[in-house]
Amino acid sequence: LMALPVHVTMPDPRSEEAAARPVCGNYLVALTLRGHRPDMADKAALGGELLAQFEAFTRHQADLSFWAMMWAASYLRASTYQLLFNLRLGFVPLASGFSYYGEISVPVRTFGGAAVTNLWGAGLSATPPGWNLTISRFDDRLNLALAYNRPAVSPDLARRYLDYVEEEVFASA
């Protein structure tokens, strides 16, 4: 299973363009693509299968359904997540969010006469069940933040996940 972050758009009925959202944010959902082990050696077959899954996802506007489900789930207590998703109500496989943001258009390089060497932020948000990984860029630096719901996700599990991400990032360094 591979999670592919997808930007959720709001269609504007008057044009072909995406309309502005009422609240600032990146409105991402994570489409879960399935690759089958026997197809891994055949890149053409695997690519065709993944493309078909992506096209079906967008054709059925599953991004909007997925966003609505995450929005509704964010109001639940963490203890009800497992119960709800065990009811087999037709939920799609759930992967949590992933966010990336770069520098602001006019980067902050000094503040109060001092050089700014890094700048990043994360705030309280209603996260879907699981976690939301945020990567930000400042000049030549990358920052990593993880928001997760306790007790559904334990601090030890969150730390292990961040360790795996760091291992993957620095594997070829």
Side-chain angles (χ1 to χ4, degrees):
L1 297 177
M2 297 165 281
L4 175 66
V6 178
H7 183 74
V8 180
T9 60
M10 177 185 288
D12 186 337
R14 298 165 296 179
S15 70
E16 298 294 319
E17 301 297 318
R21 289 290 186 166
V23 179
C24 294
N26 57 7
Y27 291 88
L28 292 177
V29 298
L31 160 63
T32 303
L33 299 172
R34 291 180 178 89
H36 299 282
R37 189 178 309 271
D39 296 336
M40 291 297 158
D42 186 349
K43 290 183 181 180
L46 179 62
E49 175 59 30
L50 297 178
L51 179 60
Q53 291 175 43
F54 179 78
E55 288 174 340
F57 184 83
T58 55
R59 184 172 55 252
H60 297 296
Q61 294 186 312
D63 56 336
L64 300 178
S65 300
F66 200 102
W67 180 260
M69 181 186 70
M70 290 196 308
W71 175 81
S74 72
Y75 285 92
L76 300 174
R77 290 179 177 267
S79 59
T80 60
Y81 295 152
Q82 194 62 44
L83 173 67
L84 180 64
F85 292 116
N86 283 342
L87 293 178
R88 305 218 184 272
L89 297 175
F91 291 124
V92 297
L94 181 69
S96 292
F98 169 90
S99 302
Y100 169 81
Y101 60 92
E103 293 181 299
I104 56 176
S105 57
V106 181
V108 177
R109 295 288 187 244
T110 61
F111 185 78
V116 176
T117 60
N118 202 355
L119 179 66
W120 65 279
L124 297 175
S125 61
T127 57
W131 44 44
N132 187 64
L133 184 69
T134 304
I135 298 173
S136 64
R137 182 178 58 80
F138 179 85
D139 198 18
D140 62 347
R141 301 173 188 271
L142 286 177
N143 302 293
L144 177 65
L146 179 67
Y148 59 94
N149 291 321
R150 294 184 307 178
V153 175
S154 71
D156 290 340
L157 179 60
R159 179 75 252 166
R160 279 200 330 259
Y161 179 63
L162 286 176
D163 289 343
Y164 291 143
V165 171
E166 288 180 8
E167 285 176 23
E168 191 70 25
V169 167
F170 296 115
S172 62

